[in-house]
Amino acid sequence: MAEASSPEQQLAVDMVPDEAADIAVQLRGLNREFRRRRTSLREPAPVVRAVRDVDLSIARGERFGLVGESGSGKSTLLRIICGLDKPTSGEVYVEGRPIHDQPSWRLGWLRERLQLVFQDPMSSLDPRMRVREIIAEPLVAQGKREGKRERVDELLQRVGLSVEDADRYPHQFSGGQRQRISVARALAPRPGILVADEPVSALDVSVRAQVLNLIDEVVESFDLTLIFVSHDLSVVRHVCDRIAVMRRGEIVELAPTEQLFTDPQHDYTKSLIAAIPQLRTALAGRSAQDLAQDVAQDTAVTHDVDGA
């Protein structure tokens, strides 16, 4: 009879080779398909490919941006990375450990090592819980009750709130303050990876920069790997070192941030950059659609010249 493996032996089995030691997240040949309801008895149910053949590595300590329009597949990809969905095919490794073939009950370590900041802080915070309970919730869920009060007080001050705020409810705060609470909650279990899913899109323009600066500061202070998801390239440019552009489930361009903005290679990336609001073009009465048409025309001219 074979001996039962110890936790240490099982951990060794779960780990991928040493080549991934400096990689926080690695995706290999990732695909995710959704089957729609059948509309005909003769035809098979149509299939939507939300993620198509994605290969990606995110280094430890990197600030990585994922951008694309609605329906591009970035949210589906994010859910797979966070262990909230399973790929149809392909492999997913987080800090060297596979999650694509593991049941949810074996991903308890992932809930500690990877934390999320959601888009709408009001809907992601329980309105019946006080701020102290909200921030301490990940610690309680992981059985880390000792020292939780001190940890909550420390994090409140770290995100720019006061200790007295711990006894208030979410509805008593502004949108920017609620997002600071969300950041504090994400930091509570001392994660290694922070995932920010459109963290400022629901905020007023006046407080967006403050929250972005806060995320930048905590990533630097706590030596975190940041995965920042947005449809707004100008926001991603503020906090990320490298950006992947998604369209129709595929990563169509991947480059360092400044290179992506100064020398975009894909037509879709060019159209996204052209759509970023600018004071000069707004005063000239030019819309994002006008700019996108200019990019398309320039691209067509370039192709004609190359083919001549």
Side-chain angles (χ1 to χ4, degrees), residues 217-250:
E217 291 169 7
V218 298
V219 168
E220 180 71 24
S221 299
F222 294 98
D223 193 24
L224 301 174
T225 301
L226 175 66
I227 303 177
F228 194 101
V229 179
S230 179
H231 65 276
D232 190 339
L233 267 173
S234 61
V235 170
V236 176
R237 186 179 192 178
H238 184 79
V239 293
C240 295
D241 304 321
R242 193 163 60 114
I243 299 174
V245 180
M246 286 196 73
R247 186 189 190 197
R248 296 176 182 173
E250 299 178 306

Side-chain angles (χ1 to χ4, degrees), residues 181-222:
I181 296 169
S182 296
V183 172
R185 178 180 59 182
L187 295 174
R190 294 183 171 86
I193 303 172
L194 181 65
V195 177
D197 183 14
E198 301 271 12
V200 297
S201 63
L203 303 178
D204 294 337
V205 175
S206 59
V207 298
R208 286 188 180 186
Q210 298 174 19
V211 174
L212 288 174
N213 287 336
L214 173 63
I215 292 175
D216 185 71
E217 291 169 7
V218 298
V219 168
E220 180 71 24
S221 299
F222 294 98

Side-chain angles (χ1 to χ4, degrees), residues 80-86 94 97-113:
I80 293 174
I81 292 174
C82 296
L84 301 175
D85 193 12
K86 296 292 184 184
V94 176
R97 300 178 66 177
I99 67 170
H100 55 278
D101 57 355
Q102 301 297 312
S104 297
W105 62 269
R106 292 197 61 188
L107 296 179
W109 63 271
L110 182 64
R111 312 305 177 207
E112 179 178 350
R113 296 300 300 157

